[in-house]
Amino acid sequence: MTIPQEQFDDLLSRTALAAMFYYPEIAVDDEDYRIQNDVDYCMEPIFGLAEEVDEQLRLAVGRTIADPTAHRAGLIALVIELAPPPIE
């Protein structure tokens, strides 16, 4: 199953925004913060994925928020795999 590219573009934009505002000490400084809330926000535009794929994407988003340099390539590769091929 593929998801429209626009939805993945929204996911990547939201993930970038969440990563920009993430700092590791947030869990210590703010008892109410959970990275899962950021992942849920990023995943809002994406629906209809198989449970296994959804979990894989959520994991990639969470890792990218926490350490964009180390994980953004993996997230982008997964999005490319799931998105439909470009229309020529």
Side-chain angles (χ1 to χ4, degrees), residues 7-19 35-47 57-58 60-62 64-65 75:
Q7 292 178 350
F8 281 117
D9 291 345
D10 195 6
L11 169 105
L12 293 174
S13 294
R14 288 170 181 238
T15 303
L17 182 64
I35 196 167
Q36 189 59 44
N37 294 340
D38 287 346
V39 172
D40 291 345
Y41 165 76
C42 295
M43 292 291 295
E44 280 179 10
I46 307 297
F47 51 88
L57 188 55
R58 286 178 174 278
V61 167
T64 302
I65 291 169
L75 175 60

Side-chain angles (χ1 to χ4, degrees), residues 73-88:
L75 175 60
I76 291 171
L78 183 55
V79 165
I80 289 170
E81 180 182 321
L82 296 171
I87 298 173
E88 295 180 21

